[in-house]
Amino acid sequence: MRTLKRFGAESVAFVLATAIFLVPFALMLLTAVKDPKQAIDLDFAWPTSWPVVENLVAVVEARDYVLLRAYVNSTIITVASVALLVVFAAMAAFVLQRRPGKVARLADFLVLSGLIIPPAVVPTIWLLQALGLFKTLPGMILAEVAFNLSFAMLLFRAFIAAIPRELDEAAQIDGCSGLRLFFRVIFPLLRPVTITVILVSSVNIFNDFVNPLYLLPGDDNATVQVTLYNFQSQYNTQWNLLFMDIVLIMIPPLVLFVFFNRKIVAGMTAGAVKG
Amino acid sequence: MTKQETGPRTGPGPAPGHARPSVRRKSAYPYALYLPAGIVFLVIFLVPTVMAFYFALTRWTLFDSEFVGLQNFQDFLAEQNLRIGFQNTIVYAVVTSGLKVVLGLLLGVLLTSKLRLRGFLRSVVFFPTLVSTVAVGITFAMLLKPQTGLVNQALALVGVDGRDWLGDATTALLSVALVDVWKGVGLATVIYIAGIMSIPQEYYQAVAVDGGGAWHRFRHVTLPLSWPATYSVIILSFIGGLRSFDLIWTMTRGGPGFTSDTIASIIYKQYQAGFFGLSTAGNVILFLVVTAIAVPLNYYLGKRQVAA
């Protein structure tokens, strides 16, 4: 009787969670493979025809292959900024955690302000323009690094706190300090949290819509999120293509998720909860 | 965060001055390691933030600026939709972070229990956090359409008359907030899962010895001891809610009228219209609002965290 009740409760949980969290994805997928006429209905009817390849080709070819350019741009931005972010944040978090004092207090304050303060977007445009970096990928990359530093440092710092200082001292006796101590001894130990930072920030940066909207306007510099506006206009929306586009740009985060599911959760919580 | 400040000093680390106090050796932790992060942060983040305070006082075209004093603030504050935008920003942040705390905690408790489908459910709940906000916004705008949308069709099945969720001034903002919760509750849940899992089992055993039931366990162990998780969830989602722009922009563009405008969407509209000084003034106001709320909140929650 008891197991039966439990089974019932679990089924309810399963059905509810599926309905609430997966139904929207089912709609995206179904609409993406329908023909334009059927796609307008936006319902769960089974597709009468399966123009999967046609839709795919149409999305890729739209606006002179903007999606492909966007994919390249988004990939460059994501990979480059995450690489810089990991190294910069880990280095800074290491000194911050290990060397208390006035400088650490200032750094602490800056990390906190980076978390709290909304970036001043228009002055950022002005600054990037002065540096010749407005509407360029390097400018966008540096901006993503700056905007994501605080969170990455928080995660790294919590993790570094758990690494015993004796290790540093042993390395110092062997003549290792500063940069070498960090890259030879500490950085390799940070692997679990590094994976988390890579996953969280690459999903964040790849999915970023607001910053490219301000800092990287123009078709040449389109990022994948911005392409979602290609198939929507005030009068006419090509639903099947729009949702095919959504599905296509969901793939990279999805792949990361499938492969690193457990690690995302494990590493993220290690840092976030200690806050 | 306030807690960390006292951490290193009370900790059993080496005495200040390191190794041999007589020889002033170079520290093993050179400040140079701060440099790359520091430079990027200073140049790309701090300089614009500080300059914003100046440009907010000017009529500005990016190339020249003419000092106009507090005119922009007057204009921005005189804008009739600002009052709504201000209110909306607060309501949005409170509703989203409140629901994320409550639902995240419940889901966290559920998904750390001995459920067989635990792994699957965890993935399902976390999944939406990986999808871009814009894609989520577009999809839900479809689901919430008055006649054709699935939400209303489902409601009709149980005999409830749905409405035009996003087109109706009274429900637009709340509908967007609920979608935000749908997307973000996975992260809150994960944070709670970790918080709950780090509670030592002895506490639960103690409750069992005293003959306490499930409610007792939740009320007297899980709830108070997952406080650090609550703190993280509140801070993260509250600040996120105050700044939130992309979901609102994709789903309603601040409409109908200005009824779902937030400070961030007003800033974008002014920017689009070419009023850079005005837009920056909006940013300064957002900055002040966020700071005025986040700093005391962080302080208060941090204090409770130490006490708990």
Side-chain angles (χ1 to χ4, degrees):
Chain A
M1 185 60 206
R2 219 172 145 182
T3 40
L4 202 71
K5 213 169 130 190
R6 231 187 69 205
F7 184 74
E10 294 199 0
S11 320
V12 171
F14 174 77
V15 170
L16 265 183
T18 318
I20 294 172
F21 288 103
L22 292 186
V23 161
F25 294 104
L27 180 78
M28 291 178 196
L29 275 175
L30 268 178
T31 310
V33 298
K34 285 178 180 174
D35 59 51
K37 246 195 182 146
Q38 214 197 343
I40 295 177
D41 298 339
L42 294 162
D43 59 12
F44 281 101
W46 201 245
T48 47
S49 64
W50 293 80
V52 183
V53 180
E54 289 92 323
N55 286 354
L56 195 76
V57 171
V59 170
V60 173
E61 283 181 343
R63 284 231 208 154
D64 212 5
Y65 295 95
V66 72
L67 183 63
L68 292 185
R69 279 203 304 281
Y71 246 109
V72 172
N73 289 338
S74 283
T75 310
I76 294 175
I77 293 171
T78 308
V79 172
S81 37
V82 171
L84 294 179
L85 190 64
V86 164
V87 178
F88 291 4
M91 275 163 64
F94 176 58
V95 206
L96 177 58
Q97 212 288 315
R98 286 297 202 246
R99 200 171 168 182
K102 266 190 196 148
V103 182
R105 251 170 284 151
L106 175 69
D108 234 354
F109 172 75
L110 291 178
V111 169
L112 192 63
S113 57
L115 281 179
I116 292 178
I117 298 173
V121 268
V122 192
T124 309
I125 295 174
W126 164 81
L127 181 98
L128 289 178
Q129 199 151 49
L131 296 171
L133 292 174
F134 181 51
K135 293 191 196 178
T136 68
L137 294 186
M140 190 67 233
I141 290 165
L142 288 175
E144 294 288 10
V145 174
F147 298 158
N148 288 285
L149 257 179
S150 290
F151 188 64
M153 277 184 67
L154 221 61
L155 290 184
F156 274 121
R157 194 187 162 171
F159 194 88
I160 291 169
I163 297 177
R165 267 168 186 272
E166 285 78 27
L167 213 67
D168 307 8
E169 282 153 22
Q172 273 172 267
I173 290 168
D174 291 341
C176 232
S177 71
L179 266 184
R180 283 205 15 214
L181 168 64
F182 176 74
F183 279 108
R184 289 275 172 80
V185 182
I186 303 296
F187 197 59
L189 292 175
L190 298 181
R191 226 182 86 151
V193 71
T194 302
I195 292 176
T196 309
V197 172
I198 291 177
L199 293 170
V200 174
S201 44
S202 51
V203 169
N204 249 347
I205 294 170
F206 189 82
N207 283 342
D208 189 4
F209 168 71
V210 184
N211 295 313
L213 187 68
Y214 278 106
L215 304 180
L216 207 57
D219 256 6
D220 286 339
N221 294 318
T223 58
V224 287
Q225 301 307 324
V226 179
T227 63
L228 290 177
Y229 282 101
N230 288 343
F231 307 102
Q232 261 186 320
S233 73
Q234 204 171 348
Y235 306 105
N236 177 28
T237 300
Q238 296 159 292
W239 295 114
N240 53 337
L241 301 189
L242 175 63
F243 281 96
M244 181 58 91
D245 195 6
I246 289 182
V247 170
L248 285 180
I249 68 173
M250 246 165 55
I251 290 175
L254 189 73
V255 170
L256 282 181
F257 177 62
V258 169
F259 283 104
F260 297 102
N261 180 7
R262 271 156 209 278
K263 285 181 179 161
I264 301 183
V265 174
M268 177 151 45
T269 46
V273 174
K274 286 172 203 150
Chain B
M1 247 137 284
T2 37
K3 200 180 103 188
Q4 281 170 353
E5 236 183 45
T6 55
R9 259 176 282 137
T10 53
H18 278 283
R20 272 161 260 134
S22 54
V23 192
R24 232 188 117 75
R25 272 199 318 155
K26 249 173 64 183
S27 167
Y29 315 114
Y31 284 136
L33 290 177
Y34 275 129
L35 271 185
I39 291 173
V40 175
F41 191 77
L42 181 83
V43 175
I44 311 284
F45 187 81
L46 281 185
V47 170
T49 301
V50 173
M51 288 309 287
F53 283 89
Y54 169 70
F55 283 127
L57 303 174
T58 65
R59 190 170 293 125
W60 182 31
T61 63
L62 280 184
F63 300 103
D64 1 57
S65 54
E66 179 199 337
F67 193 82
V68 293
L70 291 172
Q71 187 65 44
N72 284 327
F73 287 93
Q74 265 170 26
D75 288 354
F76 201 94
L77 293 170
E79 191 119 10
Q80 47 145 357
N81 52 345
L82 185 90
R83 190 180 298 270
I84 309 172
F86 191 79
Q87 260 174 19
N88 284 345
T89 306
I90 304 284
V91 168
Y92 190 88
V94 170
V95 169
T96 52
S97 59
L99 282 175
K100 281 178 196 172
V101 166
V102 174
L103 295 173
L105 178 60
L106 290 179
L107 284 168
V109 170
L110 183 72
L111 297 183
T112 45
S113 66
K114 291 193 186 83
L115 218 59
R116 237 164 309 162
L117 293 159
R118 204 169 60 181
F120 170 79
L121 289 180
R122 276 188 197 177
S123 307
V124 166
V125 171
F126 188 67
F127 192 53
T129 46
L130 294 163
V131 182
S132 82
T133 315
V134 183
V136 168
I138 292 173
T139 309
F140 271 91
M142 294 309 102
L143 291 168
L144 290 170
K145 286 236 165 168
Q147 264 91 47
T148 54
L150 283 167
V151 171
N152 279 357
Q153 285 181 5
L155 286 176
L157 280 183
V158 290
V160 179
D161 255 348
R163 41 165 108 204
D164 185 357
W165 301 105
L166 296 174
D168 186 328
T170 51
T171 55
L173 186 77
L174 286 178
S175 304
V176 180
L178 287 180
V179 175
D180 190 318
V181 173
W182 178 86
K183 182 175 160 35
V185 77
L187 188 64
T189 306
V190 163
I191 294 175
Y192 270 114
I193 288 176
I196 293 170
M197 289 204 306
S198 67
I199 298 174
Q201 283 301 312
E202 290 87 61
Y203 291 103
Y204 290 109
Q205 285 158 7
V207 175
V209 168
D210 294 346
W215 169 248
H216 221 75
R217 279 200 301 275
F218 175 75
R219 175 69 189 80
H220 294 288
V221 181
T222 312
L223 192 60
L225 290 179
S226 60
W227 177 253
T230 307
Y231 165 86
S232 305
V233 173
I234 293 180
I235 289 287
L236 281 178
S237 55
F238 198 82
I239 295 172
L242 288 177
R243 289 184 192 179
S244 144
F245 168 74
D246 36 11
L247 198 60
I248 289 167
W249 191 248
T250 335
M251 291 184 73
T252 67
R253 311 240 150 186
F258 307 105
T259 50
S260 68
D261 257 324
T262 59
I263 300 181
S265 69
I266 296 174
I267 291 172
Y268 185 69
K269 284 179 182 171
Q270 303 293 6
Y271 160 77
Q272 249 187 342
F275 299 123
F276 294 146
L278 202 57
S279 173
T280 305
N283 223 353
V284 170
I285 292 174
L286 180 63
F287 168 88
L288 295 176
V289 170
V290 174
T291 315
I293 294 175
V295 170
L297 189 70
N298 185 46
Y299 175 76
Y300 170 73
L301 295 180
K303 224 168 68 174
R304 276 201 57 179
Q305 180 174 10
V306 176

